[in-house]
Amino acid sequence: MTPDTSSLSSGSSCLDFELHLAEYAEGSLSAHQHDLVADHLDHCPMCRAELGRELHLRGELGSLPVEECPARVTRNLLTLVEAEEGPASAPIRPRTATWRRINPFLGWAAAAAAAAVLIWAPLQGGSEAERQAEARLATTAPAEYSPQEIKAARADLARSLLLTMQVLDRSERSTVKEVFGRTLPRSLSRSLKTVITPPEGGQG
Amino acid sequence: MTKNTYTKLLEQHRDRVFSYALYALRDREDAEDVTQEVFLRLWRQGDQLELHSSEAWLIRVTNNLCIDCARRRKTVRKHLGRPDTETLERLPQQASTWNDPEAALGRSENQRNLLEAMETLPEEARTIMLMHYFQGLRLQDIAGALGKKTSTVKVQIHRARKALRLVLDSSTDFPLSVRKETG
């Protein structure tokens, strides 16, 4: 059961005062309540100790270092934003609830479709059916797709590609984690990559 | 929202959002994913979001996404059917990742102990602690963001403080542990 924390009086219990210590420390109590807590603290060593812990917690968690956001997050974001950014007058199409629900799966679907095309296309070798499909697409595309739809598709494609890259990157890091039992520090990981990656211009 | 405004907001808040996600999720990759999703949503908000309320919006969305992410992780673990013992065995390994020396450079020993102790708190209590002490949000604002009463937030903070004291009790030199006041 949640105790009543709304009111304080000179006859309140230590628990009541303890519940107000966070607000006392942040300075958001009314002047009257602030004075009541201060009076109680003057003669209650237990609550003074609790206030000490509150202030310590405030100091330690409040001074946690702000970690730098990795540059690749910013890079990815700007790529996505650029892909979604259209002509100045064209607003970004609002996403429907259904679209949002299926959105996480689009990346996977697009990656699977791209893989299927890569495998399937060479096998077909420019069949009659493929040529007909291409011709149909060439004649119907301009009429069937609005610029907004093309823009949205481009943004989805960029998102899918980015997701694929992230999945590859993550699986690479997971493999390292499996083999070494822990993640390598980024600086070491970068150095290893530099050593492993062949120089520009191939192996010859 | 113009791209220029967006870039400014991104530069201004990305580290704070990333850090909050990092401390809430204790996983760098998840924190990166959450940060990316938060700012993508910010862009998609466009002109619907007023600039003066963007900070509160960012905190609220970051917090929601962190909760979603933590729940998803829990569900994945559940569906993988890992027994509790195995999960427990993995904890030191996870902790060593969390204590990545590169990432932990700026943290003091006390802060590291405190963060580890906070992992024993219920998810909501940990969220409230971070929102209040790390993000510097007032109890009333936290209550608003989480859709709870201010009194509930007060009680959660009080209980979390007590729980942390118990966890850290074994650490003799940690000031949150029980100290008998003399005189």
Side-chain angles (χ1 to χ4, degrees):
Chain A
M1 200 174 127
T2 308
D4 178 24
T5 65
S6 53
S7 59
L8 265 184
S9 69
S10 52
S12 296
S13 67
C14 281
L15 174 64
D16 292 329
F17 283 106
E18 282 182 9
L19 285 168
H20 286 80
L21 288 180
E23 286 171 294
Y24 177 78
E26 96 179 350
S28 61
L29 286 176
S30 68
H32 174 64
Q33 286 188 320
H34 185 276
D35 290 346
L36 282 173
V37 175
D39 285 348
H40 179 80
L41 287 171
D42 275 348
H43 65 264
C44 181
M46 295 286 280
C47 286
R48 268 208 307 278
E50 188 67 18
L51 177 65
R53 285 188 281 272
E54 162 67 23
L55 293 175
H56 184 81
L57 204 53
R58 194 167 285 274
E60 292 292 351
L61 289 181
S63 63
L64 277 173
V66 175
E67 305 265 350
E68 197 180 333
C69 178
R72 67 169 164 272
V73 175
T74 310
R75 255 196 328 267
N76 290 347
L77 275 166
L78 292 177
T79 308
L80 288 168
V81 164
E82 220 155 81
E84 288 200 2
E85 193 187 37
S89 58
I92 290 180
R93 216 161 30 154
R95 308 297 188 189
T96 62
T98 312
W99 196 95
R100 271 198 294 271
R101 265 202 305 280
I102 62 166
N103 189 24
F105 302 104
L106 282 179
W108 292 105
V117 167
L118 283 173
I119 295 165
W120 176 78
L123 295 177
Q124 296 306 305
S127 66
E128 182 58 28
E130 193 186 349
R131 276 193 291 278
Q132 280 177 3
E134 271 178 14
R136 204 165 48 242
L137 189 66
T139 53
T140 57
E144 283 185 7
Y145 298 102
S146 69
Q148 280 86 358
E149 281 172 319
I150 291 170
K151 184 163 68 70
R154 245 181 24 211
D156 286 341
L157 182 62
R159 191 177 164 80
S160 305
L161 287 173
L162 194 62
L163 192 70
T164 311
M165 286 192 297
Q166 284 175 342
V167 168
L168 288 174
D169 187 38
R170 185 168 282 205
S171 62
E172 181 188 314
R173 275 182 274 166
S174 300
T175 311
V176 171
K177 207 166 167 179
E178 286 298 319
V179 173
F180 295 101
R182 59 170 295 152
T183 308
L184 294 179
R186 283 184 198 288
S187 53
L188 178 58
S189 173
R190 270 197 300 271
S191 312
L192 279 174
K193 266 189 189 166
T194 316
V195 174
I196 293 166
T197 310
E200 294 265 339
Q203 298 158 9
Chain B
M1 185 186 300
T2 63
K3 197 176 166 190
N4 206 15
T5 313
Y6 174 78
T7 312
K8 271 184 196 157
L9 282 173
L10 178 63
E11 280 170 6
Q12 198 179 339
H13 297 293
R14 65 186 165 194
D15 291 346
R16 200 86 198 159
V17 166
F18 174 70
S19 303
Y20 177 82
L22 185 62
Y23 291 131
L25 297 167
R26 290 97 62 215
D27 185 293
R28 203 158 260 275
E29 288 170 12
D30 285 345
E32 286 180 19
D33 288 349
V34 163
T35 308
Q36 189 169 306
E37 187 60 31
V38 168
F39 282 100
L40 198 56
R41 288 188 188 192
L42 176 71
W43 169 253
R44 287 182 177 159
Q45 279 290 306
D47 292 331
Q48 290 171 34
L49 185 71
E50 290 184 29
L51 280 186
H52 65 85
S53 61
S54 56
E55 195 173 346
W57 184 92
L58 281 170
I59 288 169
R60 199 175 62 246
V61 174
T62 307
N63 181 54
N64 289 343
L65 288 176
C66 284
I67 290 172
D68 287 349
C69 182
R71 282 189 190 145
R72 232 178 6 249
R73 276 198 316 214
K74 220 179 269 178
T75 313
V76 168
R77 279 188 206 135
K78 197 172 146 193
H79 286 293
L80 283 175
R82 280 185 200 148
D84 281 345
T85 47
E86 200 180 324
T87 309
L88 286 174
E89 277 168 16
R90 288 175 69 94
L91 275 176
Q93 200 178 330
Q94 286 171 354
S96 69
T97 309
W98 166 234
N99 287 329
D100 171 357
E102 205 178 338
L105 266 180
R107 287 181 224 133
S108 72
E109 185 67 28
N110 276 353
Q111 285 174 325
R112 274 199 294 277
N113 289 341
L114 185 52
L115 287 170
E116 276 174 28
M118 278 178 66
E119 292 189 28
T120 62
L121 296 178
E123 188 180 292
E124 191 175 74
R126 201 171 51 234
T127 301
I128 289 176
M129 297 294 272
L130 282 174
M131 287 175 103
H132 183 56
Y133 295 112
F134 177 63
Q135 294 278 37
L137 292 182
R138 297 166 86 90
L139 303 187
Q140 217 175 347
D141 298 329
I142 297 173
L146 298 180
K148 300 204 171 291
K149 289 180 185 166
T150 309
S151 59
T152 309
V153 175
K154 272 188 223 178
V155 172
Q156 289 269 30
I157 285 190
H158 178 254
R159 285 183 185 157
R161 203 167 55 218
K162 296 273 183 196
L164 284 178
R165 195 180 80 176
L166 284 176
V167 173
L168 294 164
D169 202 13
S170 54
S171 166
T172 50
D173 57 345
F174 196 77
L176 269 181
S177 59
V178 180
R179 280 185 312 186
K180 297 272 185 287
E181 202 165 292
T182 52

